[in-house]
Structures are given as C-alpha cells and as structure tokens.
Amino acid sequence: MSVRRLVTSALAATTLALTSLGAVTVTATPAAADPCGFYETSSDAFYNHCTSDGSRVVIHVRVSMAPDYERCVGPGKTWLGSASKIQGAHYVNRTC
C-alpha cells in the first residue's frame, strides 16, 4: 500500500471515528476556488491577486512567440489571454 493511501486511509478512519462521536462538524466549501497567482484552465490564463488591502501590483507576463510585458493588476482574477499563448506570470515586487 502506498504512503499516500495509508495516510488517506488513516485520515478517513480518524474522521469516521470522530464523526461517530459527534466531534466533527462538516461545512460545504466551494469545489475549487481560484488559486492565488498565475494559473491556467484548459483554455485561458489568469492571474489572481489575493489581497484584502485593495492594493494593485505589477506582474511580469511571459508570452510564447511574442515579447513579454508588465501589467498592473488589481485585487481578484485578471484574464491574461489564451493558455496556449501565455506561459506564466509573476509578481515583480512593485505596486502600481
């Protein structure tokens, strides 16, 4: 049995035991929240600036077969383009 399966089995057994004792409360959460930073879907590339202070930051966007560029993004998700054209993006330690 793999280590991952062993850990998963142990966690499931512990959760089952605690649930039967009434010690665990389960709350529904969104299936997949957008991750912070650069991420792609099957067709699009995004940068999600996770902040609670309303700041705007400069990101460096890497582009396939075209010049890279910098962009100012605000809080939340920003569409960067097609996932086939955008190779990545990262924060450059500057606000805008």
Side-chain angles (χ1 to χ4, degrees):
M1 185 178 264
S2 72
V3 172
R4 185 175 181 167
R5 258 194 193 158
L6 251 164
V7 170
T8 302
S9 295
L11 287 173
T14 302
T15 302
L16 182 60
L18 289 173
T19 302
S20 65
L21 295 173
V24 173
T25 303
V26 178
T27 14
T29 58
D34 297 330
C36 296
F38 175 76
Y39 70 96
E40 295 177 326
T41 65
S42 59
S43 59
D44 297 297
F46 297 92
Y47 188 88
N48 188 17
H49 176 42
C50 298
T51 183
S52 58
D53 67 5
S55 63
R56 298 176 59 81
V57 296
V58 178
I59 60 171
H60 178 89
V61 181
R62 293 188 329 270
V63 184
S64 175
M65 306 295 286
D68 293 355
Y69 62 90
E70 289 188 347
R71 181 171 180 178
C72 179
V73 298
K77 180 170 69 171
T78 300
W79 182 75
L80 300 177
S82 168
S84 64
K85 295 184 181 193
I86 305 299
Q87 296 180 322
H90 64 273
Y91 172 55
V92 296
N93 297 318
R94 292 194 329 256
T95 57
C96 49

